[in-house]
Amino acid sequence: MARASFRATLTRLRHHYRSRDTAPTSTLVQTPHPYARALGLAAVVLCGAWLGLLIVGSVRTPVGPMDTTMTLRASAAGGTKINVSPLGALELDTHTAPLRLDVDVDQLDPVRSQALVEHPERLSGLQEEITQDVADGTTELAVRSCVAVVSGATALGLAVYRRPRRALAAGGLALALLTASAVSAYATWNPKSVLEPKFSGLLSSAPSVVGNARSIVSEFDVYQKELARLVTNVTKLYDATSTLPTYQPDPATMRVLHVSDIHLNPASWHIIGSLVEQYDIDLIIDSGDTMDHGSAAENGFLDPISDLGAPYVWVRGNHDSLATQDYLERLKNVHVLDEGRAVTVAGIRVAGTGDPQFTPDRSVEAQGDPAERMAGIRLASALRDQRRAGTPVDIAVAHNPVAARETDGTVPLVLAGHVHNRRTQVLKHGTRLKIEGSTGGGGLRALQNDEPEKVRTSVLYLDRSTKRLQAWDEVTLGGLGLTTAEVSRHLPAENRPGAPTSRTPSATPPSPSP
């Protein structure tokens, strides 16, 4: 009996110490927080889906006479990017989704290209053929991408969790995310995005790739056929990559180049001259701050203006002195505007006023916005006088946007600069205010910044008969030391297909209020 009692006691002690040894270990093992588990699963799904798309999420498909590669890429903004080597890339805001469609033009198929040359009658059906090719390629890409996303997320889930159930959950979540992205893209699909493309690449290619403003606005059917013709002309681009298709401006469209805030950057004259030639510019309008200190020693910088190839209309900025203005008035092909003076140049009636303040002169205290508003009020009064005299102004110009805003309701379009930040706004009474960035990239003072300021200018397309703005191209170049180029096409809301009647101020006096 004593032996049995001893054995029972020993057994109890063993259980006691075993439970004591294992208790601390069990308390150290904690179940992960649900949020942490969810975030971890989401990270696995996104990484796996991205790897799947990167490895197998693309298809090679013919589009007309071209061989292309279509790829889905993760992107916060969505849209479609068409890479046309060696010209550059065309970006279209086709949809809003976390996926972007990339289309790379790889090469021309010699057999299909030769068939088009030998049988020109096939061009009439080329547009439908391209549309069908794109649809077929997109369908194949969607199927392949679905498989790639699910497989990638499942494989990575299995490698991380080593549990088939968790891996299948990752694959299912990836499929759900892809489906949601597809629904978002379908719901936000914008077929009219071709009206406002953004071109990045060789600057001299921009007019050819972006197209003609007048044709896009009023002859969209013709524009679509021109796109088909462009496809067949790509052969010539590959034969001579430096010789690009000739840009033929619509005879019913006038082109105005808006520049501002050059700030003594000598490279600006080369940029302006190139744009004048490439776009066949009718008129250049400079909204001021061409100089930096307005000293007489700087005046020689202005001499190239006479040889830019287009009439030059100029208003004084707050960095331009009266000595600068006097020098410009003596230059050939330059029209200086001040105190509401109006001139008709290249068929366009322009009026403007110089900035009332010359800020480099530290001996005079700057009066700020009140002085700018008074200058704008005087300009608006001059615009009304021109309208009553039967010579309404098409474009007004002031350096400071504060002054420019005072012309609201007296002119269809007013141009300004000063803030080195491009903006476009339709004011309360219908006048469109366009503020240009710095065409000189901030000038040499830009070297003081952490990053170089970009060079900005815009090409404005005006109807030759009404002088109303039809479209505009925003040209953006890399700043000092950079060699990038972008051209974005924009249309006024009233010029888009199906838009209501414009509320832009009329050139004729409004009827009196009852």
Side-chain angles (χ1 to χ4, degrees):
M1 181 180 293
R3 182 177 295 178
S5 177
F6 175 75
R7 288 178 177 175
T9 302
L10 183 60
T11 300
R12 287 196 298 271
L13 288 173
R14 285 175 178 173
H15 283 298
H16 170 73
Y17 284 107
R18 186 176 297 168
S19 62
R20 188 182 66 176
D21 291 340
T22 58
T25 303
S26 63
T27 57
L28 292 175
V29 179
Q30 298 180 356
T31 303
H33 194 281
Y35 289 156
R37 294 178 61 185
L39 288 175
L41 180 61
V44 168
V45 168
L46 294 176
C47 291
W50 177 75
L51 289 173
L53 285 177
L54 191 63
I55 296 172
V56 295
S58 63
V59 297
R60 289 181 60 85
T61 182
V63 176
M66 301 179 299
D67 291 327
T68 68
T69 300
M70 295 184 178
T71 310
L72 281 181
R73 298 294 187 202
S75 171
T80 299
K81 185 174 183 180
I82 304 173
N83 298 302
V84 186
S85 178
L87 297 181
L90 201 63
E91 297 181 27
L92 305 175
D93 188 18
T94 53
H95 62 277
T96 302
L99 293 174
R100 185 185 72 196
L101 175 62
D102 285 356
V103 181
D104 295 312
V105 178
D106 299 327
Q107 63 181 4
L108 285 170
D109 183 272
V111 176
R112 298 198 301 272
S113 300
Q114 185 65 27
L116 284 174
V117 174
E118 295 176 353
H119 303 280
E121 67 275 6
R122 296 185 181 181
L123 291 175
S124 60
L126 183 60
Q127 182 178 343
E128 290 76 11
E129 178 186 344
I130 291 175
T131 302
Q132 186 61 46
D133 289 343
V134 171
D136 293 342
T138 304
T139 301
E140 183 181 352
L141 178 62
V143 174
R144 182 184 287 262
S145 298
C146 183
V147 174
V149 165
V150 174
S151 300
T154 303
L156 187 59
L158 187 61
V160 172
Y161 296 111
R162 300 182 183 278
R163 296 178 183 178
R165 182 176 297 179
R166 299 295 297 277
L168 291 175
L173 181 56
L175 180 59
L177 291 176
L178 183 62
T179 303
S181 299
V183 171
S184 174
Y186 179 79
T188 59
W189 181 254
N190 178 24
K192 296 180 181 178
S193 59
V194 69
L195 295 173
E196 297 183 306
K198 177 181 178 181
F199 174 79
S200 302
L202 298 174
L203 182 59
S204 57
S205 311
S208 302
V209 178
V210 172
N212 184 283
R214 178 74 176 188
S215 297
I216 294 178
V217 173
S218 60
E219 299 174 324
F220 187 62
D221 291 338
V222 176
Y223 176 67
Q224 293 184 86
K225 295 177 182 177
E226 289 299 319
L227 287 180
R229 183 186 299 177
L230 176 62
V231 172
T232 64
N233 286 340
V234 174
T235 308
K236 299 177 182 178
L237 299 180
Y238 280 85
D239 289 340
T241 57
S242 61
T243 305
L244 302 173
T246 303
Y247 176 56
Q248 297 294 342
D250 191 310
T253 304
M254 307 180 74
R255 291 153 305 282
V256 176
L257 182 66
H258 180 200
V259 303
S260 189
D261 296 86
I262 292 174
H263 286 293
L264 284 179
N265 186 346
S268 299
W269 303 133
H270 298 283
I271 294 170
I272 294 171
S274 175
L275 291 171
V276 167
E277 180 179 359
Q278 186 66 27
Y279 282 84
D280 195 11
I281 296 296
D282 296 291
L283 175 64
I284 305 169
I285 298 181
D286 186 341
S287 50
D289 271 5
T290 312
M291 307 300 245
D292 216 357
H293 299 90
S295 63
E298 297 173 338
N299 286 341
F301 170 77
L302 303 170
D303 292 341
I305 291 178
S306 298
D307 300 319
L308 289 176
Y312 200 92
V313 172
W314 181 87
V315 298
R316 187 179 65 251
N318 62 295
H319 282 265
D320 303 318
S321 65
L322 289 175
T324 302
Q325 180 165 310
D326 292 340
Y327 189 85
L328 274 167
E329 287 177 336
R330 295 194 296 270
L331 289 182
K332 181 185 66 175
N333 217 24
V334 176
H335 305 267
V336 174
L337 304 182
D338 198 8
E339 298 296 336
R341 176 175 178 249
V343 294
T344 300
V345 185
I348 302 173
R349 187 77 171 163
V350 188
T353 189
D355 197 294
Q357 305 177 94
F358 179 55
T359 53
D361 185 1
R362 303 300 181 184
S363 64
V364 178
E365 184 178 356
Q367 299 177 8
D369 287 353
E372 300 293 345
R373 291 192 185 94
M374 287 303 302
I377 290 172
R378 291 193 296 270
L379 176 58
S381 177
L383 294 173
R384 284 189 287 268
D385 291 342
Q386 290 286 331
R387 189 166 60 185
R388 284 191 291 266
T391 55
V393 170
D394 304 310
I395 302 176
V397 192
H399 176 66
N400 196 309
V402 174
R405 292 178 189 277
E406 297 298 326
T407 66
D408 186 18
T410 63
V411 68
L413 176 65
V414 60
L415 306 180
H418 184 64
V419 295
H420 293 205
N421 188 8
R422 180 186 282 144
R423 304 175 193 170
T424 301
Q425 178 186 4
V426 177
L427 302 177
K428 180 179 179 181
H429 298 293
T431 294
R432 186 182 303 275
L433 169 63
K434 286 191 61 59
I435 306 172
E436 190 52 77
S438 173
T439 309
L444 298 180
R445 290 180 298 166
L447 296 173
Q448 302 173 357
N449 302 331
D450 294 334
E451 295 183 2
E453 185 175 338
K454 292 184 177 181
V455 175
R456 293 180 170 91
T457 182
S458 296
V459 179
L460 314 180
Y461 299 90
L462 305 181
D463 184 276
R464 190 171 292 274
S465 59
T466 66
K467 308 302 188 297
R468 295 297 180 266
L469 185 67
Q470 298 293 306
W472 68 91
D473 288 348
E474 293 180 349
V475 182
T476 304
L477 310 178
L480 293 173
L482 301 180
T483 56
T484 59
E486 293 181 357
V487 181
S488 300
R489 166 65 50 78
H490 299 273
L491 302 180
E494 63 270 16
N495 280 0
R496 296 175 183 173
T501 304
S502 170
R503 63 188 184 96
T504 303
S506 171
T508 57
S511 55
S513 303

